[in-house]
Amino acid sequence: MNSNKTAEITEKTYDNNNKQLILWISSITGNTKSIAEILIIRLLELGYEPRIRTAKDTMTRELLEKYHLKPADDAYISANDKTPVILCFWCRRGSMDDLSLAFLNSLLQRKILVYGTMGSYPESEYGQKVKISVKDL
């Protein structure tokens, strides 16, 4: 997904009156993190209160400080089981990376928006394979 698509998020993306959501980010090269930062800025502009959870503690601290956000620790995630989740992953072997997949599997009965980054064109044969693989999760 390119950054132009990220900017299309509107207030109608989620039907969430309290404007809170959980943002999971897993990034190995920094590409997913870069797009997630664009997403954070847009969500803040729309009045959302994203709570951050990342695959790397150092990335979590950096984003919390940079955007003055709160973390989404295990207790928060468990206590707020209706809070929507945006899951940002990197593509590994034709699907979601292992840490993102484990996080996804820990979520029950939630609204989830998933986006990923990969080193291929989305319209390519490989890109289509990834879309199908992730959709089937």
Side-chain angles (χ1 to χ4, degrees), residues 37-57:
E37 287 194 71
I38 295 167
L39 182 61
I40 290 168
I41 291 166
R42 184 66 179 134
L43 289 168
L44 291 171
E45 288 173 352
L46 291 170
Y48 283 89
E49 300 171 22
R51 289 200 174 229
I52 303 296
R53 177 81 175 257
T54 72
K56 297 179 186 174
D57 290 339

Side-chain angles (χ1 to χ4, degrees), residues 89-96 116-118 120 122 124-137:
F89 72 95
W90 57 277
C91 182
R92 180 170 189 268
R93 296 185 182 150
S95 191
M96 191 176 288
T117 60
M118 65 178 170
S120 183
S124 69
E125 184 178 329
Y126 180 72
Q128 294 303 315
K129 176 185 170 192
V130 171
K131 287 179 189 179
I132 291 167
S133 174
V134 171
K135 186 178 178 182
D136 289 344
L137 295 174

